[in-house]
Amino acid sequence: VAWHDLCELHKALYYCEQALTAFKQVYGDEHPDVARSLNSIGKIWIDLNQPKKAIIVFQECLSIQKKLYKNQTDNNILETLSSLVSALE
């Protein structure tokens, strides 16, 4: 996320949420792009020092990923779990 790299976290959050809405409209609620967008949003919430919001988003992401990827050791699931742990610290 380019805005994230420029420390424009609120802009990054805005555009990630726009992408999430678009992906849900195009693909439905359970698609890899929806999960990826949620993961990005969760990371931004962590950077904005909003761990409770991040946890909610990561849990939603994880729920989708568990339905998409039957292998519980899928890299996407592991990345989200790692992010969730960061939010809980």
Side-chain angles (χ1 to χ4, degrees):
V1 177
W3 289 110
H4 185 270
D5 295 339
L6 295 172
C7 296
E8 296 280 348
L9 297 175
H10 287 93
K11 283 184 183 179
L13 181 61
Y14 172 80
Y15 288 115
C16 282
E17 288 176 339
Q18 294 297 307
L20 174 63
T21 298
F23 287 137
K24 283 184 173 185
Q25 288 175 347
V26 173
Y27 300 120
D29 291 340
E30 294 178 358
H31 187 273
D33 288 336
V34 171
R36 238 183 320 277
S37 293
L38 288 167
N39 200 344
S40 294
I41 290 168
K43 289 178 181 180
I44 294 168
W45 281 125
I46 287 175
D47 290 341
L48 287 169
N49 200 29
Q50 296 288 328
K52 290 181 182 179
K53 291 181 180 182
I55 290 166
I56 292 167
V57 174
F58 286 137
Q59 288 174 332
E60 182 180 353
C61 178
L62 192 59
S63 174
I64 293 168
Q65 289 173 328
K66 286 182 176 182
K67 292 174 187 173
L68 292 173
Y69 310 111
K70 303 303 179 201
N71 180 354
Q72 295 299 306
T73 59
D74 180 86
N75 286 339
N76 294 296
I77 291 175
L78 296 176
E79 179 183 349
T80 301
L81 287 171
S82 177
S83 297
L84 187 54
V85 169
S86 295
L88 292 167
E89 294 181 322

